[in-house]
């Protein structure tokens, strides 16, 4: 399955897994909503947003950590990871609140 | 000694108030001439025996007045004066109609010599007499005593309330003019109709064209019962809607009242009017005479029914008029509905708003006037509607046989402003139109269930992303 594509650094493997899996998960939730109806719309939004958000944050982390990336050459990877963790905290706080 | 005297004097003064449980109703009777007092004495004594205070006057008496200082002096009016052109005193068409509008009752009897004034009173009440002023009801099939204009009819309305529980066996003798009912008016009822082979025409002149009023369309005696509807909002202002289809009257305006005026609005209308095309219907002569319907046996033979000698010693007039006057003067079938209450199941306070899918109880007390006191009304067909543009809930109220009607149901899953409506229109009984507004709100955001089954996939997705993030960060940190 295409989550398991290996691209160089083992970290990328995990990150790709995360990204692809969660985008698939989002698509599944949208299909479920189309079937059942958008009754607790807030719950639907929070579920979708959690998947999309974590995927986006994983992509950001991957970009920032990748040494071949010219833009983030001077950025220490610890800093990137700290940003990643912080943003995830905020994201999950919002999601828990919005889940109802 | 003087002490004793004063005590006795006091008791004598108070005696009328002590012995009576209720004050006698006063009825004004207008006659063309006082010979009617003796020729209709049996009817008048039957009224007197039921504790009515009768006041006889000539219709042209110049001292006539129905009300004094804004209050009506009489509870009922009997017009046995068909030939009067203009009432005496302060009476006229509008004062009579105002008397009826105030909820008081009227008996109107006419005969061949009916004047325009009397016919106009009848028209305003919803009854159209034959326009031909010489026309009487003629029946060649069921007449009595050889007079084709003295007809015998037993085509009564089917109502125990109006005509009493005992069936009237003998036919009722009638001699006079017929009337037709306005078909649009739903408040007018035919109590005694003519047989299918009767017609209304002038006996003196030759018939040049078929008569306009024929058959069972002719009503000999009819009653009108006016209705009142009361609407009460939960916010305690009352709105009164007056009847708009009584005869050809204009539509009355909607008036708004404050809670202080509430007492005045109780049972303002529901007047009962009896209109008879024959004054002789009430006379002693027709009460006492026997009836044998001439020609009835041949008609029965034609229809194949067995014939028998139907000779009645006394006509049904006395029973008919007595029972009818009982109904007209509100001794029977007069209902009042009080104490409308609703509350959530388990509470006693009446809330100002309900929530959808609440359980609520509704109760109302209905009493019937028995002539002397209010008795509980027992019936199994009173229904309550929970209404917003159309009834969402329609339930029959259960009764505890003591006048209390109650039920409980679940508020429907629709929010808006609803009304508790009781629309009780039974033949012969006063119409009950009760409406009470109540708003219904949807769930507040904290009244939903804590975890909705429909949202489980989303919960699962959110928690799984959190778990994924946690696992990933561990792997990332401890990956060499």
């Amino acid at each position: 399955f295409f989550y398991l594509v290996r691209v160089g650094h083992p970290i990328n493997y995990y990150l790709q897994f995360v990204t692809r899996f969660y985008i698939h998960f989002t698509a599944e939730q949208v299909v479920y909503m189309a079937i059942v109806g958008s009754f607790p719309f807030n719950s639907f939004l929070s579920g979708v947003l959690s998947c999309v958000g974590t995927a986006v944050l994983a992509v950001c982390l991957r970009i920032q950590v990748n040494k071949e990336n010219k833009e983030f050459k001077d950025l220490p990877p610890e800093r990137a990871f700290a940003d990643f963790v912080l943003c995830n905290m905020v994201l999950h706080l919002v999601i828990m609140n919005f889940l109802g | 000694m003087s002490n004793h005297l004063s005590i006795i004097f006091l008791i004598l003064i108070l005696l009328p108030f002590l012995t009576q449980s209720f004050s006698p109703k006063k009825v004004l009777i207008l006659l063309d001439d006082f010979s009617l007092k003796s020729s209709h004495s049996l009817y008048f004594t039957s009224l007197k025996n039921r504790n009515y205070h009768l006041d006889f006057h000539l219709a042209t008496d110049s001292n006539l007045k129905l009300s004094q200082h804004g209050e009506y002096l009489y509870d009922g009016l009997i017009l046995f004066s068909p030939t009067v052109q203009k009432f005496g005193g302060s009476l006229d068409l509008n004062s009579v109609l105002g008397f009826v509008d105030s909820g008081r009752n009227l008996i109107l009897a006419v005969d061949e010599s009916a004047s325009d004034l009397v016919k106009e009173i009848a028209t305003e009440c919803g009854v159209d007499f034959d326009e031909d002023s010489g026309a009487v009801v003629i029946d060649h099939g069921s007449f009595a005593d050889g007079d084709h204009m003295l007809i015998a009819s037993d085509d009564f309305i089917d109502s125990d309330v109006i005509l009493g529980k005992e069936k009237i066996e003998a036919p009722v003798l009638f001699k006079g003019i017929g009337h037709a009912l306005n078909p649009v008016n739903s408040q007018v009822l035919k109590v005694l109709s003519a047989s299918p082979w009767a017609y209304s025409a002038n006996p003196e002149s030759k018939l040049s064209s078929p008569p306009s009023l024929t058959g069972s369309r002719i009503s000999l005696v009819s009653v009108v019962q006016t209705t009142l509807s009361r609407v009460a909002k939960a916010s305690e202002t009352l709105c009164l809607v007056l009847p708009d289809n009584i005869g050809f009257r204009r539509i009355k305006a909607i008036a708004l009242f404050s809670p202080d005026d509430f007492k005045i609005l109780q049972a303002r209308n529901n007047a009962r009017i009896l209109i008879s095309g024959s004054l002789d219907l009430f006379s002693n002569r027709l009460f006492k005479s026997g009836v044998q319907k001439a020609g009835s046996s041949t008609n029965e033979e034609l229809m194949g029914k067995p014939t028998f000698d139907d000779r009645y010693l006394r006509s049904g007039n006395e029973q008919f008029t007595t029972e009818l006057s009982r109904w007209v003067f509100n001794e029977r079938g007069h209902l009042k509905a009080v104490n409308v209450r609703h509350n959530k199941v388990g509470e006693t306070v009446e809330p100002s708003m309900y929530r959808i899918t609440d359980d609520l109880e509704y109760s109302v007390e209905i009493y019937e006037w028995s002539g002397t006191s209010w008795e509980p009304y027992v019936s199994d067909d009173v229904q309550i509607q929970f209404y917003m543009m159309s009834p969402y809930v329609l339930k029959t109220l259960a009764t505890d046989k003591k006048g209390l009607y109650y039920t409980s149901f679940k508020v429907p899953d629709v929010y808006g402003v609803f009304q508790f409506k009781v629309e009780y229109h039974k033949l012969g009984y006063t119409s009950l139109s009760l409406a009470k507004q109540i708003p219904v709100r949807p769930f507040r955001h904290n009244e939903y269930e804590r975890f909705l089954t429909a949202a489980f996939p989303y919960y699962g997705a959110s928690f799984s992303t959190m778990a994924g993030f946690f696992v990933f960060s561990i792997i990332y940190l401890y990956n060499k």
Side-chain angles (χ1 to χ4, degrees), chain B residues 155-201:
Chain B
D155 195 356
F156 301 113
I157 193 174
D158 188 14
S159 168
D160 276 348
V161 188
I162 300 181
L163 292 176
K165 285 201 191 51
E166 289 172 32
K167 186 166 147 23
I168 304 179
E169 297 288 345
V172 168
L173 292 170
F174 177 96
K175 186 183 167 99
I177 60 182
H179 51 266
L181 304 178
N182 195 343
V184 174
N185 198 334
S186 58
Q187 298 164 342
V188 191
L189 302 165
K190 253 196 297 196
V191 175
L192 184 68
S193 25
S195 61
W197 40 86
Y199 61 97
S200 170

Side-chain angles (χ1 to χ4, degrees), chain B residues 333-350:
Chain B
H334 185 77
L335 302 174
K336 75 168 177 180
V338 290
N339 250 339
V340 169
R341 274 201 322 261
H342 59 90
N343 52 270
K344 262 200 256 207
V345 170
E347 297 177 16
T348 48
V349 176
E350 202 173 279

Side-chain angles (χ1 to χ4, degrees), chain A residues 36-100:
Chain A
V36 169
S38 66
F39 164 51
F41 198 59
N42 52 331
S43 312
F44 161 69
L45 283 181
S46 101
V48 165
L49 200 66
S50 72
C51 295
V52 170
T54 46
V56 165
L57 288 175
V59 165
C60 290
L61 180 64
R62 185 163 152 230
I63 289 174
Q64 291 182 351
V65 157
N66 196 356
K67 294 201 185 51
E68 286 131 37
N69 214 329
K70 283 191 287 288
E71 265 177 45
F72 294 99
K73 214 167 19 154
D74 299 324
L75 192 72
E78 289 81 16
R79 166 83 198 278
F81 184 70
D83 282 341
F84 173 74
V85 167
L86 209 62
C87 293
N88 260 301
M89 286 297 133
V90 171
L91 178 73
H92 287 112
L93 187 74
V94 169
I95 283 162
M96 281 311 294
N97 201 15
F98 207 56
L99 203 57

Side-chain angles (χ1 to χ4, degrees), chain B residues 138-160:
Chain B
I138 303 173
D139 191 341
H140 299 300
S142 33
F143 53 89
D145 285 348
D147 182 359
H148 285 232
M149 293 184 281
L150 175 65
I151 60 182
S153 168
D154 53 5
D155 195 356
F156 301 113
I157 193 174
D158 188 14
S159 168
D160 276 348

Side-chain angles (χ1 to χ4, degrees), chain B residues 56-76:
Chain B
F56 294 91
H57 283 287
L58 282 179
T60 44
D61 188 341
S62 54
N63 291 331
L64 284 178
K65 54 176 178 235
L66 280 176
S67 65
Q68 191 170 26
H69 306 310
E71 274 194 18
Y72 281 107
L73 297 167
Y74 300 100
D75 298 307

